[in-house]
Amino acid sequence: MRAVVVNQWGGPEVLTETTLDRPEPGPTEVLVRVHAAGVNPVDWKTRATGMLIAWGPNPIVGWDVSGTVEAVGMGVTIFEPGDEVFGMPHFPKQAGAYAEYVTAPARHFVRKPAALDHVAAAALPLAALTAWQALVDTADVRPGQRVLIHAAAGGVGHLAVQIAKARGAYVIGTASAAKHDLLRELGADELIDYRSTDFAEAVRDVDVVLDTIGGDYGKRSLKVLRPGGHLVTIAGGEDLAVDADGVSVSVLLVEPDRQGLTALAALAQEGALRPLIDTVLPLEQAAKAHEIGERGRTTGKIVLTVA
């Protein structure tokens, strides 16, 4: 099979297309022929340093997969060859999405919503599961609550806006002014241009904050929470709990989640969750995809087409 491997940790140029043996599914696993693979910040961050991830002998980045089940291992009862599936297998172990085939536990995948093509489906798993696990599983967002989402037009942010809205929340987002109209279309109720306005001065009485940026955003976000509010950060911030007074702080790392994926697939099928696609490139241009992503100017997701 074709695959893009990391021949050494470093810049985008270390991504190299090569040919590897096609993997075989073990017990409870499926072999998925990859049609599209989503690109996420964790892809280029781990490519640069190898941090965090348990790598295989041929390091292959990528966790977002949408494709077709090619074969099933012993004991698999929920899929059969020909089923269209999507998921985020193995994270934070190597999944190897930048390849023509991946193997993973069957229950790391769910059926792809018919309403989405493979490119759109590949844009969802890691970013949407991050938003879901932050807003639903961790913060338990409820109707009428005020939710502030930082970088609301980003890969996680634009999906978090839609998920919070589907939960009945009043959604506030930070984003550049040029992206406000698009975010209103996705359901945002109030928007703050971070280039001209300090959100910490403009917003009060927030129930939940989702920080996707890090830096001083977490500490500043504590100021806008009401007593009993909840800050969820995906950008680090273990030290924030020291400064939290009357509010909760959670540091989240996304994990495979069949129940969450099933809920996200249902929202997508209903039309309540729509991934924005910024750029689509073929697998052999993975390095270019990383170059684009690292500029930090994308709206929505970057996706590689594989098959």
Side-chain angles (χ1 to χ4, degrees):
M1 68 173 185
R2 290 188 305 130
V4 172
V5 302
V6 181
N7 56 34
Q8 65 182 58
W9 310 122
E13 71 280 356
V14 306
L15 295 170
T16 304
E17 185 176 353
T18 189
T19 300
L20 300 173
D21 291 337
R22 192 182 83 171
E24 295 297 330
T28 74
E29 290 186 337
V30 291
L31 172 70
V32 175
R33 183 177 184 182
V34 181
H35 291 274
V39 178
N40 295 284
V42 68
D43 297 11
W44 56 79
K45 291 176 181 178
T46 55
R47 178 220 71 223
T49 65
M51 69 174 199
L52 184 68
I53 306 304
W55 297 103
N58 295 295
I60 304 173
V61 297
W63 287 269
D64 280 342
V65 173
S66 184
T68 304
V69 174
E70 191 86 358
V72 301
M74 182 184 70
V76 174
T77 60
I78 59 174
F79 296 124
E80 59 185 29
D83 287 341
E84 293 186 315
V85 297
F86 78 121
M88 184 201 70
H90 289 304
F91 191 86
K93 297 180 180 179
Q94 176 173 313
Y98 293 12
E100 289 185 306
Y101 294 92
V102 300
T103 55
R107 294 177 187 273
H108 286 191
F109 293 97
V110 300
R111 295 181 187 277
K112 180 182 73 66
L116 300 182
D117 62 18
H118 283 291
V119 168
L124 274 181
L126 192 147
L129 277 177
T130 299
W132 182 269
Q133 291 172 10
L135 297 177
V136 180
D137 295 340
T138 303
D140 188 25
V141 168
R142 297 183 298 278
Q145 288 190 318
R146 290 166 57 82
V147 176
L148 171 61
I149 298 167
H150 290 307
V156 172
H158 83 283
L159 299 169
V161 166
Q162 297 173 74
I163 290 168
K165 200 63 188 174
R167 300 280 291 184
Y170 180 89
V171 180
I172 308 163
T174 61
S176 62
K179 299 176 181 179
H180 286 191
D181 288 344
L182 175 60
L183 288 167
R184 288 190 183 95
E185 291 178 12
L186 296 180
D189 298 288
E190 183 179 339
L191 292 158
I192 300 166
D193 181 359
Y194 68 90
R195 292 174 175 169
S196 62
T197 304
D198 180 358
F199 75 88
E201 299 297 329
V203 182
R204 284 291 182 272
D205 298 322
V206 171
D207 295 281
V208 177
V209 176
L210 174 56
D211 175 22
T212 67
I213 299 176
D216 68 346
Y217 268 69
K219 185 168 290 189
R220 292 163 61 203
S221 293
L222 294 174
K223 301 176 182 178
V224 309
L225 286 166
R226 65 164 181 79
H230 199 155
L231 167 65
V232 185
T233 175
I234 63 170
E238 291 81 354
D239 59 329
L240 289 173
V242 175
D243 299 306
D245 183 15
V247 299
S248 301
V249 177
S250 297
V251 181
L252 175 74
L253 180 64
V254 68
E255 58 186 305
D257 177 3
R258 180 172 172 79
Q259 183 177 358
L261 268 181
T262 300
L264 293 167
L267 286 178
Q269 187 62 30
E270 296 165 6
L273 184 64
R274 175 169 62 95
L276 299 178
I277 309 299
D278 184 278
T279 305
V280 179
L281 294 167
L283 176 64
E284 58 269 23
Q285 294 187 34
K288 182 177 179 180
H290 280 216
E291 290 172 1
I292 293 170
E294 287 181 294
R295 294 173 195 154
R297 301 180 185 277
T298 55
T299 300
K301 296 296 299 294
I302 302 169
V303 178
L304 298 172
T305 53
V306 182

